[in-house]
Amino acid sequence: MADSEHTPESNVDVLIIGAGPAGLMAACWMAHCGVSTRIIDKRGTKIFCGQADGLQCRSLEIFDSFGFADRAWKEANHMIEICMWNPGPEGVIRRSDRIPDTIVGLSRFQQITLHQGRIERFFLDNIKKYSKDTIRVERGVIPESLDIDELKVKDQSSYPVTVKLRHLTDEEATPEQQINGSKISDGLFRSNLMHEDDEDDLIRKSKSRVGTDEIVHAKYVIGCDGARSWTRRTLGFELQGEATDFIWGVLDIIPITDFPDIRMRCAIHSAENGSLMVIPRENKLVRLYIQLKEVTPDASGRADRSKITPDIILNAARKILSPYKIDYEYCDWWTAYQIGQRVGTQFDSHERVFLAGDAVHTHSPKAGQGMNVSMHDTYNLGWKVALVAKGIAKPSILSTYQTERRAIARDLINFDHRFSRLFSGRPAKDVMDAEGVSMDEFKESFLKGNLFASGLIVNYGPSNLVVKVVDEPEKGELSGSTSTSIFADTFAKKQALATGLPVGMRFNSFKVVNQSDARPWHFQEKLKSDGRFRVVLFAGNILNPPQKSRVEQFCDALGAPNSFFRTFNPTSPPLDTVIEVLTIHSAKRTETDLIRDFPEILHPFNPHTGWDYDKVFVDDASYHEGVGDAYINYGVDRERGCVVVARPDQYVGWVGDLEDFNDLQRYFEGCLVLSTHA
């Protein structure tokens, strides 16, 4: 071997393997939380064309919490309507229905499309800004081995995961392209039609050169390295599921066509030639997902990718769209894949090495879920790893990653299994056609799918981060997490205090007005992804003396020396680096005074910068944007209010009354490390 005699070694809190959207989301958390991190990727460059393109509502809410949703919103194509096309009585396709692409009223954002490369660029810029350029994607770097020292995994000061890395040449880090004579960029090297992985070959080539290896000792490793994950294989974990016989091609083109709905999202079923989905994109591009009826798997269950070209995919689209014509002069990218749904057996090893995204669940891309759910995995995981690595949160919260995200992965697989088969099936000719797909059933599935695909119906089960009642089906799934017990009738009373903020779901957003300067805000804009928990005090009618007394008693408890707020936050400004208190009251803004009517702890005083004017809000009319009706929409009593805990990822963890301070104290004692800043 040509290895150097002195292999360099280093320590890092978090090593992220894979710099796609899931890996970059994890790195973004580390940048915002100030955790030492390295992120590696075996490819030499980020994505410049193709791959994923759909961004769902929840993803945009998350981007906004990091500070770059506006960039995606401005560049993207906005998806407003879905058109369904089905065969008429004579067998010719016709528009049969229109539905909104995003269910109205669910979010302040709607679904958009923008190619993955731009999204990666937004992440990279954000990571550079918040890490002060200390976290950079190291490209052309591949892991060779991974070992976990099981004797050290319980020691929070140790670096129990040892990873040997190899550095590649530019040529080795560039995936093979231009197969089948095509000069257009293709994504087949990432497709599930690929039979082999190239890691062993790349490692062998790297070993032939001196000085290409290094050893990294990490507290935590996050494997975001795709459907053929090296990390997953190295851990000995598997994906379980099945592939279908359905082969689909993908074309990103600027279309020349007389099809009238080419700038709408369309689901098109032809009578005999298969199905097609139209996804309008930015810069005049349109993505076509096309069922390839003439390409079938071989005896091994895999399709021969050498038989798939852009021309074959386009000809399949022409047959489906007939009698409409379609052609192109410019094709940006193309690929093909075989529909299959698989989910990982395990999401972590010793709660030190984690898998996320395609490494633990794969499915068809037509539901626009791959990139979104992958990013949501690491949005769930990133802050937990960051806070444990910093000694702020208890290691026990790490088990909630598998319990929370595995349930979502299973829901996704079940949804995609049903949806992809309905999409790929032949339309029923009449009610007696048992083999055909009912178009009414397909529409119903599409509508339900839109709700699921929005990412807004995720509902996490009970744990030490989510205080709610354990349902019987959840008990097996919760075996690894520390569940905070609560009786059903007690929980029902607490949840009734804020019916519009279900415990375990994301904190929905409605307009409120800043008490100090009258500016309206979507309240969710104040729940930034910076690693902090929020205690949201719905203070009710603060001008009513009995209610004001309740608020003052709550604030006295909050300010007591042994309260969670004093225990976990530092004693000198800023006072809210771990837990921030935000207030929404319901009295008239013009009759209320920040300093006179609200205890100091709700708007802390800093001797260098004065009062904090950005923590107290009111559910009242704004001059230009009307009333947000926050109390009504959150289901909170305008007189008595309540208290809600939002986790660092904006999910509701606890709801209680102003008098339930001891329960609130126990919540934080259950998930945070005492005396962190004492």
Side-chain angles (χ1 to χ4, degrees):
M1 294 295 173
D3 279 359
S4 60
E5 294 182 9
H6 302 290
T7 301
E9 297 192 34
S10 60
N11 291 349
V12 71
D13 285 349
V14 180
L15 173 66
I16 301 167
I17 301 173
L24 292 173
M25 177 70 81
C28 203
W29 265 124
M30 303 310 153
H32 282 252
C33 293
V35 175
S36 74
T37 302
R38 290 181 65 180
I39 176 168
I40 64 169
D41 196 287
K42 70 178 181 180
R43 299 303 175 197
T45 64
K46 74 174 187 67
I47 297 295
F48 287 101
C49 59
Q51 303 306 330
D53 62 355
L55 285 171
Q56 307 291 358
C57 306
R58 181 61 189 147
S59 297
L60 287 163
E61 292 180 356
I62 291 169
F63 288 3
D64 188 58
S65 74
F66 284 121
F68 60 88
D70 58 317
R71 296 184 69 184
W73 192 249
K74 287 173 185 175
E75 283 191 29
N77 177 67
H78 291 228
M79 307 277 275
I80 307 301
E81 186 174 78
I82 298 172
C83 294
M84 296 188 176
W85 286 71
N86 295 301
E90 68 289 351
V92 178
I93 62 168
R94 58 184 174 83
R95 187 192 303 111
S96 59
D97 224 327
R98 299 178 192 263
I99 58 175
D101 186 87
T102 303
I103 295 173
V104 177
L106 274 183
S107 172
R108 58 202 164 104
F109 294 105
Q110 295 87 52
Q111 185 180 192
I112 61 175
T113 51
L114 182 67
H115 88 77
Q116 181 176 322
R118 291 302 297 153
I119 295 156
E120 291 182 8
R121 169 50 55 204
F122 304 152
F123 270 119
L124 291 167
D125 291 347
N126 193 265
I127 291 164
K128 180 177 181 179
K129 175 182 177 181
Y130 283 91
S131 73
K132 296 180 172 58
D133 209 19
T134 60
I135 302 175
R136 301 181 183 181
V137 176
E138 301 170 45
R139 301 198 183 274
V141 181
I142 191 171
E144 179 183 349
S145 63
L146 184 152
D147 296 295
I148 304 172
D149 187 339
E150 296 184 20
L151 298 177
K152 295 181 179 178
V153 293
K154 298 298 184 185
D155 178 1
Q156 295 309 306
S157 65
S158 70
Y159 297 82
V161 189
T162 300
V163 182
K164 189 170 189 178
L165 302 179
R166 290 277 169 187
H167 293 257
L168 308 177
T169 64
D170 290 345
E171 181 182 5
E172 291 164 354
T174 303
E176 181 185 352
Q177 287 278 309
Q178 298 182 9
I179 65 169
N180 307 337
S182 169
K183 301 295 184 184
I184 306 162
S185 294
D186 70 74
L188 290 180
F189 70 93
R190 294 175 180 267
S191 167
N192 60 4
L193 298 182
M194 282 285 285
H195 293 255
E196 66 285 332
D197 300 293
D198 60 358
E199 278 95 346
D200 291 343
D201 185 48
L202 292 174
I203 290 168
R204 180 181 54 77
K205 290 177 180 176
S206 175
K207 280 184 176 180
S208 67
R209 301 188 307 279
V210 173
T212 62
D213 62 327
E214 68 164 307
I215 291 173
V216 176
H217 303 285
K219 288 185 176 179
Y220 300 97
V221 172
I222 305 176
C224 305
D225 44 350
R228 297 194 306 279
S229 167
W230 174 90
T231 313
R232 184 187 68 237
R233 297 197 313 272
T234 302
L235 293 174
F237 298 166
E238 296 180 352
L239 293 180
Q240 294 181 339
E242 60 179 0
T244 70
D245 291 338
F246 300 123
I247 311 296
W248 285 70
V250 187
L251 284 179
D252 282 349
I253 60 174
I254 295 179
I256 302 169
T257 181
D258 59 353
F259 180 66
D261 290 344
I262 198 67
R263 293 305 304 175
M264 297 286 190
R265 183 179 173 194
C266 294
I268 304 166
H269 281 88
S270 69
E272 302 292 344
N273 293 311
S275 305
L276 183 152
M277 182 175 279
V278 177
I279 305 288
R281 294 269 307 277
E282 73 283 2
N283 299 327
K284 295 189 177 181
L285 285 171
V286 169
R287 170 163 293 186
L288 302 179
Y289 286 108
I290 303 133
Q291 189 175 356
L292 303 179
K293 298 275 284 187
E294 296 173 7
V295 181
T296 54
D298 57 23
S300 69
R302 294 270 189 170
D304 183 355
R305 66 191 178 104
S306 68
K307 295 179 180 177
I308 302 172
T309 66
D311 287 343
I312 286 174
I313 298 171
L314 179 65
N315 286 332
R318 284 171 171 158
K319 290 179 182 178
I320 295 167
L321 282 173
S322 177
Y324 299 100
K325 306 289 193 294
I326 187 166
D327 205 344
Y328 66 84
E329 290 185 7
Y330 176 77
C331 178
D332 195 54
W333 181 81
W334 67 280
T335 192
Y337 63 91
Q338 187 168 355
I339 289 180
Q341 293 88 16
R342 299 186 299 161
V343 64
T345 51
Q346 290 172 268
F347 279 45
D348 71 80
S349 178
H350 302 282
E351 292 171 10
R352 289 289 189 167
V353 180
F354 298 87
L355 298 171
D358 288 353
V360 277
H361 45 72
T362 63
H363 48 89
S364 72
K366 288 186 301 305
Q369 287 295 278
M371 176 170 61
N372 290 275
V373 174
S374 295
M375 292 189 298
H376 299 177
D377 281 351
T378 45
Y379 187 64
N380 177 289
L381 173 65
W383 66 272
K384 297 172 182 175
V385 169
L387 295 193
V388 174
K390 292 176 74 173
I392 292 172
K394 292 184 175 180
S396 60
I397 72 169
L398 295 174
S399 65
T400 64
Y401 169 62
Q402 172 158 312
T403 56
E404 291 179 346
R405 295 309 298 176
R406 184 174 163 81
I408 301 305
R410 281 206 310 263
D411 289 346
L412 170 62
I413 296 306
N414 293 336
F415 159 69
D416 187 65
H417 184 273
R418 173 176 167 79
F419 182 77
S420 61
R421 280 157 178 75
L422 285 172
F423 204 105
S424 300
R426 174 181 60 77
K429 295 174 181 175
D430 52 46
V431 292
M432 301 302 291
D433 184 357
E435 293 184 4
V437 172
S438 159
M439 290 299 99
D440 287 339
E441 183 184 6
F442 177 74
K443 179 185 176 183
E444 182 185 353
S445 174
F446 218 106
L447 287 166
K448 288 182 179 177
N450 266 9
L451 183 59
F452 177 83
S454 70
L456 301 177
I457 61 169
V458 168
N459 194 340
Y460 293 142
S463 68
N464 53 350
L465 291 171
V466 176
V467 181
K468 63 195 294 189
V469 178
V470 181
D471 293 328
E472 284 298 322
E474 291 177 319
K475 284 189 174 178
E477 191 68 39
L478 290 168
S479 57
S481 66
T482 308
S483 179
T484 305
S485 59
I486 185 171
F487 292 112
D489 57 343
T490 304
F491 175 69
K493 290 176 183 175
K494 288 180 179 291
Q495 185 64 81
L497 297 169
T499 55
L501 288 168
V503 176
M505 297 184 75
R506 113 317 185 175
F507 204 117
N508 200 357
S509 194
F510 300 101
K511 284 285 182 76
V512 293
V513 178
N514 186 296
Q515 174 64 39
S516 300
D517 63 13
R519 179 177 171 179
W521 292 89
H522 258 288
F523 187 67
Q524 201 180 65
E525 294 178 274
K526 296 300 171 183
L527 307 179
K528 296 294 184 188
S529 291
D530 53 18
R532 289 189 291 177
F533 286 80
R534 266 82 186 190
V535 172
V536 182
L537 170 61
F538 286 88
N541 182 6
I542 195 75
L543 296 181
N544 181 18
Q547 179 63 13
K548 187 170 186 176
S549 175
R550 294 179 72 224
V551 169
E552 288 171 346
Q553 289 177 34
F554 175 82
C555 290
D556 287 344
L558 200 61
N562 60 345
S563 84
F564 64 85
F565 190 69
R566 294 300 189 205
T567 304
F568 298 121
N569 282 323
T571 54
S572 58
L575 304 175
D576 52 10
T577 57
V578 178
I579 302 165
E580 181 183 31
V581 178
L582 298 173
T583 302
I584 306 174
H585 73 93
S586 62
K588 292 296 292 180
R589 179 184 61 81
T590 53
E591 298 172 9
T592 317
D593 181 88
L594 179 75
I595 297 172
R596 181 194 68 209
D597 294 319
F598 295 90
E600 178 178 336
I601 202 166
L602 302 181
H603 54 100
F605 184 79
N606 183 322
H608 307 293
T609 58
W611 298 107
D612 191 324
Y613 297 102
D614 203 31
K615 294 194 190 308
V616 177
F617 302 87
V618 57
D619 179 16
D620 199 359
S622 63
Y623 285 106
H624 304 288
E625 298 179 25
V627 182
D629 288 329
Y631 269 73
I632 292 172
N633 286 307
Y634 287 133
V636 176
D637 185 283
R638 289 185 64 85
E639 288 296 319
R640 292 183 56 81
C642 68
V643 182
V644 179
V645 172
R647 311 188 322 183
D649 58 358
Q650 302 183 336
Y651 282 79
V652 177
W654 182 90
V655 172
D657 229 326
L658 274 65
E659 287 75 21
D660 295 333
F661 191 86
N662 289 340
D663 288 345
L664 184 60
Q665 178 85 14
R666 280 193 291 272
Y667 173 84
F668 284 108
E669 289 175 352
C671 58
L672 299 184
V673 177
L674 283 166
S675 303
T676 303
H677 302 285

